[in-house]
Amino acid sequence: MQPDVLQNDIHSLVDELNFAQKVERSLGLIREAYEEYGDGLAVANSLGKDSVAVWHLAKCVSPDIRGFIITTRFKPEETVAFMNQEVSRYPELKVYQNDEPIPDRLYESDPDRCCDILKVLPIRHAIEDMNIKCWVTGLRCTEGRTRTDFLEIEERDKGLIKLNPILIWKEREIWQYLAINQVPVNPLYARGYRSLGCAPCTHITNDLDERAGRWIGTSKCGGECGIHTRPLITDYQI
Ligand code: SF4
């Protein structure tokens, strides 16, 4: 697959395409990638609203598409319960977690390192373990300041395609899709959360930025765990 739309054009599509056109575009991107990569394609499922929308879209393309979940010891109990529910419904979702010892409250003293150990290392392992050639994400370019520079089709790591099939969807369109298709969602949304992560680093806010409740009070505020910014094909060293 090759990137076919320039960055500026991508941003204009956020408003130019309607909901139904976006659904068709996303299905087409996943279908094309699945035809090319087959079992080498896997969907990353963070158990948030965007991920479950992408997972549902992928399952519309083929029930055989595989997925993986990166979880940590710090996920809220609601997310763990939702994860168990999803995995029992979809056994083709594989769960990865790094249980190695880390310093107490590392998420406060060095959240970048905490995310590297608990999130980036396991995704590197997942990519190798599942022999993934194309991973599919729920990234959207309107989520916040750190998510404006992505393309629908990328090759940030040589030999590993990253497909962002709902890049141009708005938050409202995600909820529209989930409601229309009656897709179950993480119960934390009913409590007011808009972006979900580990319990110590995720808060409810009324900020316009969807990701403003992530890592409040740290240098990572509103930022990224590293899964979308760090190299994913390495020798597993941080
Ligand atoms: S989100 Fe917080 S607790 Fe989770 S891995 Fe990152 S720093 Fe650690």
Side-chain angles (χ1 to χ4, degrees), residues 72 74 107 111 114-115 118-119 198 200-201 215:
T72 78
F74 296 120
Y107 48 79
C114 188
C115 280
L118 301 187
K119 292 187 170 181
C198 295
C201 307
W215 298 286

Side-chain angles (χ1 to χ4, degrees), residues 1-27:
M1 299 187 81
Q2 294 294 324
D4 59 351
V5 180
L6 296 173
Q7 193 71 42
N8 289 341
D9 296 332
I10 280 293
H11 285 272
S12 65
L13 291 179
V14 171
D15 288 319
E16 280 174 21
L17 297 189
N18 66 34
F19 171 72
Q21 289 169 324
K22 289 182 184 180
V23 172
E24 278 312 305
R25 183 180 181 89
S26 302
L27 287 169

Side-chain angles (χ1 to χ4, degrees), residues 70-77 80 96-104 106-107 114 117-118 122 198-200:
I70 307 298
T71 191
T72 78
R73 69 200 75 179
F74 296 120
K75 289 290 181 182
E77 61 183 41
V80 174
Y96 293 88
Q97 177 169 341
N98 184 358
D99 286 323
E100 74 178 71
I102 59 171
D104 279 350
L106 186 61
Y107 48 79
C114 188
I117 296 169
L118 301 187
C198 295

